[in-house]
């Protein structure tokens, strides 16, 4: 990305990311981290329903189809929806590290328009880790995984404790997520997002 802000450049003593030994295997579908998440949850009728798969190392691929409900200009995806797709994809990387993290900064470049009914193919990777800071980048392509770049982003995620969500979320949703009998779903509900 040209013009990347200083906040998104890892310091010289940042370390290479390490995939957690219990991370999903390459090719494995990650599934929604929370049913009501606008980015990946099936419980959102107008959500993105983004599908992410674990890749090699600390990479994932994802895709979503731009629907009429996602448009800004007539027939084209809203830029905020595209930024949401990038944020969701980048946030899903944290599942490969097995940490709870929230978006601290997201810088997005919009390279070309994305028409309604287009599948956006996303590829993301963690580039460095420095203490609680996780640096990552993603691209979104149209016309296939090797098609032209339509959007790209760099991000900084910050590792947090689950208390961040408990103290700031609405009690009804927090209690419902905590009561889920599926332990993986319980943990993943608090995986990403500010």
């Amino acid at each position: 990305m040209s013009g990347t802000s200083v906040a998104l450049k890892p310091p010289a003593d940042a370390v290479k990311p390490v995939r957690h030994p219990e991370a999903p295997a390459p090719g494995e579908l990650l599934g929604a981290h929370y049913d009501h998440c606008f980015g990946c949850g099936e419980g959102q009728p107008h959500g993105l329903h983004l599908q992410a798969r674990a890749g090699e190392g600390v990479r994932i691929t994802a895709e979503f189809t731009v629907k009429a409900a996602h448009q800004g200009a007539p027939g084209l995806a809203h830029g905020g929806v595209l930024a949401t797709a990038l944020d969701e994809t980048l946030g899903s990387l944290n599942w490969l590290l097995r940490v709870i993290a929230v978006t601290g900064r997201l810088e997005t470049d919009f390279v070309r328009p994305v028409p309604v009914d287009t599948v956006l193919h996303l590829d993301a990777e963690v580039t460095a880790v420095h203490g609680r800071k996780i640096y990552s980048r993603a691209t979104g392509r149209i016309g296939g995984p090797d098609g032209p770049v339509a959007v790209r982003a760099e991000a900084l995620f910050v590792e947090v404790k689950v208390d961040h969500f408990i103290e700031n979320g609405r009690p009804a949703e927090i209690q419902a997520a905590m009561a889920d009998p599926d332990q993986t779903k319980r943990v993943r509900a608090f995986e990403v997002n500010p």
Side-chain angles (χ1 to χ4, degrees):
M1 256 173 86
S2 61
T4 299
S5 73
V6 173
L8 292 176
K9 291 185 181 176
D13 60 341
V15 297
K16 184 178 177 182
V18 177
R19 182 188 190 101
H20 192 279
E22 295 177 22
E28 188 175 326
L29 187 64
L30 300 183
H33 74 88
Y34 177 56
D35 191 49
H36 298 289
C37 173
F38 182 78
C40 65
E42 291 299 319
Q44 288 288 344
H46 297 297
L48 304 185
H49 304 151
L50 188 132
Q51 298 282 315
R53 289 191 182 279
E56 296 292 332
V58 190
R59 289 185 88 100
I60 65 162
T61 58
E63 59 183 50
F64 91 97
T65 302
V66 177
K67 303 290 185 189
H70 303 141
Q71 65 189 309
L76 296 173
H78 189 288
V81 169
L82 297 175
T84 300
L86 288 162
D87 185 46
E88 184 68 28
T89 303
L90 289 158
S92 296
L93 287 165
N94 297 312
W95 189 238
L96 300 180
L97 299 173
R98 298 300 285 261
V99 298
I100 299 171
V102 295
T103 310
R105 185 176 189 98
L106 175 70
E107 290 186 12
T108 306
D109 287 332
F110 300 95
V111 180
R112 67 182 64 235
V114 179
V116 169
D117 295 326
T118 297
V119 176
L120 187 65
H121 300 269
L122 297 131
D123 181 53
E125 67 176 327
V126 175
T127 58
V129 176
H130 187 258
R132 293 176 45 226
K133 294 180 178 181
I134 302 162
Y135 297 85
S136 54
R137 64 179 169 224
T139 57
R141 297 174 182 271
I142 57 176
D146 297 320
V149 172
V151 292
R152 61 182 170 245
E154 290 192 35
L156 169 65
F157 281 78
V158 180
E159 186 176 350
V160 297
K161 302 294 181 204
V162 75
D163 294 350
H164 169 85
F165 299 95
I166 294 168
E167 293 168 4
N168 296 293
R170 279 197 329 186
E173 282 87 353
I174 298 295
Q175 289 167 1
M178 297 287 276
D180 194 313
D182 183 325
Q183 182 179 0
T184 300
K185 282 186 175 182
R186 250 191 338 264
V187 171
R188 290 204 63 206
F190 303 101
E191 176 181 300
V192 294
N193 298 324

